[in-house]
Amino acid sequence: ENKNMDWEISFDEKENILFVKTRGILDMSSSKALTKECIEVIKKKNCRRCLVDTREITSQNLGTLEIHSLPSLFTELDFPHDLRLAEVTLKKYAKDFGFFETVCRNRGYMVSTFFDVESALQWLRQ
């Protein structure tokens, strides 16, 4: 059984949005690998909008300290400060994703959490 998370990344040229769909177990090593891959594509495509759909993850294995440390990874990988990152998640993960959003915003990153794709897209298109 695959213990890790896997993902699909697609880029919408017309909308200039990077779409990421994740499945499996959300943990620190997957989060790091995914963040790295996304930032590479974002820089290559000069894209400033990203939607990460995590509604198909089977469990969320990140602790509070790990969530708190994720924005440091953004800084390390030179995550563009003008990038909008919309996280679409399930209501049961609202607390963790809300905390992630707060930590990111405190560091000057534009991250917002949503429970449906339509609201996320509306915010990205602003």
Side-chain angles (χ1 to χ4, degrees), residues 46-90:
N46 195 23
C47 163
R48 288 296 174 266
R49 298 166 174 174
C50 182
L51 188 147
V52 180
D53 184 350
T54 64
R55 290 173 302 173
E56 286 182 31
I57 59 172
T58 45
S59 72
Q60 196 295 94
N61 290 1
L62 291 173
T64 306
L65 283 171
E66 288 181 315
I67 294 171
H68 192 270
S69 75
L70 281 172
S72 318
L73 184 64
F74 287 0
T75 311
E76 216 176 283
L77 295 168
D78 200 22
F79 185 98
H81 272 278
D82 58 345
L83 175 82
R84 278 176 179 257
L85 172 62
E87 297 264 3
V88 182
T89 190
L90 298 170

Side-chain angles (χ1 to χ4, degrees), residues 100-124:
F100 175 64
E101 178 182 317
T102 303
V103 178
C104 288
R105 286 182 175 249
N106 289 345
R107 307 246 185 124
Y109 296 110
M110 289 191 282
V111 175
S112 275
T113 308
F114 301 91
F115 302 108
D116 66 284
V117 170
E118 215 23 73
S119 317
L121 287 173
Q122 268 174 359
W123 178 75
L124 285 175

Side-chain angles (χ1 to χ4, degrees), residues 38-47:
C38 285
I39 291 175
E40 278 168 20
V41 180
I42 281 161
K43 287 180 176 170
K44 203 168 70 191
K45 302 272 189 193
N46 195 23
C47 163

